[in-house]
Amino acid sequence: MKILILNGPNLNLLGSREPGIYGAETMEDCLARLRRLYATDELLYYQSNVEGCLIDRLQQAGQEGIDGVVFNAGAYTHTSIALHDCIRSLRMPVIEVHLSNIHRREEFRHRSFLSPVCLGVICGFGTDSYRLGIEALRQAVAAPDR
Ligand code: DQA
């Protein structure tokens, strides 16, 4: 499978940003672990702090044979109708992931504009949320009507 792991704003700082909430593992280490674990899959990675760049990358993914996206939109989760519209225009499944359990945090994080247009949501498992997102995508692509 060809999977895009997509990260939004401030997630380039993983490992040093609020480690009590987001953990100590860097995204580079997380990706290396995932690529070892899913050696037969192609895991592409893109991160941007800019909303429009995330939209451009998602639109491009729709045209390059990507089977699905594991997407942590960071704070744009709670604000972005543009990302909502973008995801609903895609044919491939998108799994929304978060490192932290957004429902145990401030109320402004409880609302996601992306959940209604994603296949499912995984949150609260630190960097393991990305692995769980990949597992969910593999299941979804293997049995699309389940
Ligand atoms: C986050 C949760 C968001 O509320 C926050 O703005 C982030 C990270 C997470 O992975 O837990 O940047 O998406």
Side-chain angles (χ1 to χ4, degrees):
M1 278 182 62
K2 196 169 172 181
I3 294 170
L4 173 64
I5 298 173
L6 186 59
N7 268 349
N10 300 308
L11 291 164
N12 52 317
L13 301 178
L14 266 188
S16 59
R17 172 194 180 199
E18 299 188 85
I21 296 175
Y22 299 117
E25 191 177 33
T26 64
M27 199 60 206
E28 288 68 29
D29 288 346
C30 173
L31 277 173
R33 185 165 51 77
L34 292 174
R35 287 191 172 122
R36 276 195 302 274
L37 205 55
Y38 298 102
T40 58
D41 292 317
E42 192 178 347
L43 301 186
L44 307 177
Y45 178 67
Y46 180 76
Q47 187 275 334
S48 179
N49 294 324
V50 180
E51 189 176 21
C53 294
L54 295 167
I55 292 170
D56 285 345
R57 189 65 191 90
L58 280 168
Q59 289 183 359
Q60 190 190 324
Q63 294 169 1
E64 61 185 330
I66 285 177
D67 295 297
V69 183
V70 173
F71 188 19
N72 185 349
Y76 287 142
T77 305
H78 319 296
T79 62
S80 180
I81 296 169
L83 279 167
H84 169 109
D85 285 349
C86 177
I87 292 169
R88 69 188 294 161
S89 78
L90 299 174
R91 284 169 161 226
M92 75 195 93
V94 178
I95 310 284
E96 174 182 345
V97 302
H98 301 283
L99 298 131
S100 62
N101 180 348
I102 54 176
H103 302 288
R104 290 180 69 173
R105 301 183 61 193
E106 303 96 322
E107 206 166 324
F108 64 83
R109 294 184 205 276
H110 296 179
R111 172 160 200 196
S112 167
F113 280 97
L114 310 188
S115 301
V117 288
C118 286
L119 188 64
V121 184
I122 293 166
C123 73
F125 300 99
T127 51
D128 206 34
S129 291
Y130 293 95
R131 184 189 62 79
L132 294 166
I134 292 172
E135 283 297 322
L137 264 187
R138 287 165 67 93
Q139 297 289 333
V141 171
D145 298 325
R146 210 171 48 143

